[in-house]
Amino acid sequence: RKEVEQDPGPFNVPEGATVAFNCTYSNSASQSFFWYRQDCRKEPKLLMSVYSSGNEDGRFTAQLNRASQYISLLIRDSKLSDSATYLCVVYPGSGNTGKLIFGQGTTLQVKP
Amino acid sequence: DVKVTQSSRYLVKRTGEKVFLECVQDMDHENMFWYRQDPGLGLRLIYFSYDVKMKEKGDIPEGYSVSREKKERFSLILESASTNQTSMYLCASRGGSSYNEQFFGPGTRLTVL
């Protein structure tokens, strides 16, 4: 079983749609969680951290469910510019010498 | 702004050549990483370093070595390049006040003929 699993997609949605991605992780002791965004032919960049209480940044909402070991990202009112690959990232914490664990990514295509 | 730079955006080498990929970060970060990214396989960690002269193997270290003689610089070495090492190589760094955010360089697209 992979440490971090995501549906690779692609998710094809029209502009204005709401779309949600989920990600599961295997290590129940994992400490920190993130979503990174990677545009085509570009490097990944941090989109947002994910907190147990859930957090929102404009049209983006991230949630963490520790009991079920999954993380979600909700994008409301999708824009063409949201087209990218979204990487779910987990920091396992102590004893891991600082490695982040990256999922394979979920590709989103927003169509006009 | 944190900046991670890589020595080349595109590189073409022949099988058997020794290849050096250089990465430099300007934020005094302790941790540096080398990944390769291939379609359908995502980001795979090759090697990482948490301090000068320290290195640890990642998930796919075979065929690669690294060097970290200075804190800001982390080099990836392909001792004898092979065609299956054709890939996008991404360097990253992390540390300082934003420990959990990892900053990536723009990547080097390496083609081995």
Side-chain angles (χ1 to χ4, degrees):
Chain A
R1 183 185 172 188
K2 290 179 183 174
E3 291 182 84
V4 177
E5 291 206 62
Q6 296 181 251
D7 180 347
F11 284 60
N12 294 302
V13 302
E15 269 187 292
T18 296
V19 61
F21 310 134
N22 286 334
C23 158
T24 58
Y25 60 95
S26 60
N27 183 350
S28 60
S30 295
Q31 293 187 0
S32 304
F33 308 88
F34 312 91
W35 284 100
Y36 276 65
R37 171 190 169 133
Q38 186 173 21
D39 293 314
C40 189
R41 304 185 195 283
K42 298 278 193 175
E43 71 273 22
K45 293 184 179 179
L46 179 67
L47 176 67
M48 58 198 303
S49 300
V50 187
Y51 304 116
S52 297
S53 54
N55 49 302
E56 194 173 300
D57 182 1
R59 297 180 295 106
F60 297 80
T61 301
Q63 295 211 306
L64 166 65
N65 184 319
R66 282 193 182 271
S68 302
Q69 293 178 217
Y70 79 80
I71 306 146
S72 64
L73 178 68
L74 182 78
I75 306 175
R76 288 180 300 279
D77 189 22
S78 299
K79 311 289 184 195
L80 295 176
S81 57
D82 294 334
S83 297
T85 296
Y86 292 84
L87 302 169
C88 175
V89 184
V90 174
Y91 176 58
S94 61
N96 191 59
T97 56
K99 287 191 298 183
L100 294 177
I101 311 298
F102 286 80
Q104 282 194 27
T106 298
T107 299
L108 172 65
Q109 299 271 14
V110 181
K111 307 287 188 184
Chain B
D1 261 4
V2 176
K3 198 161 186 182
V4 181
T5 56
Q6 295 183 226
S7 49
S8 306
R9 291 302 301 273
Y10 299 94
L11 208 52
V12 180
K13 295 291 181 180
R14 297 209 174 272
T15 301
E17 280 193 81
K18 191 169 186 175
V19 182
F20 292 88
L21 302 183
E22 304 281 343
C23 175
V24 177
Q25 49 95 2
D26 65 359
M27 284 300 291
D28 201 36
H29 283 171
E30 298 83 9
N31 300 289
M32 295 188 75
F33 307 83
W34 274 106
Y35 297 87
R36 63 178 283 178
Q37 188 172 35
D38 302 286
L41 297 175
L43 277 169
R44 292 183 291 168
L45 182 64
I46 304 171
Y47 265 98
F48 66 104
S49 169
Y50 49 90
D51 203 349
V52 176
K53 297 191 187 295
M54 306 300 285
K55 60 185 179 184
E56 281 207 24
K57 293 179 180 179
D59 301 317
I60 51 163
E62 297 78 19
Y64 304 94
S65 62
V66 290
S67 172
R68 192 157 180 212
E69 296 297 316
K70 294 185 177 181
K71 193 174 186 180
E72 68 270 19
R73 189 179 297 268
F74 191 34
S75 303
L76 180 69
I77 302 146
L78 287 66
E79 294 289 343
S80 177
S82 62
T83 54
N84 62 13
Q85 292 179 309
T86 292
S87 186
M88 170 66 83
Y89 289 88
L90 287 156
C91 175
S93 76
R94 197 172 83 243
S97 60
S98 55
Y99 184 79
N100 284 327
E101 182 172 0
Q102 192 155 294
F103 297 88
F104 286 83
T108 296
R109 169 79 56 188
L110 173 66
T111 301
V112 183
L113 301 175

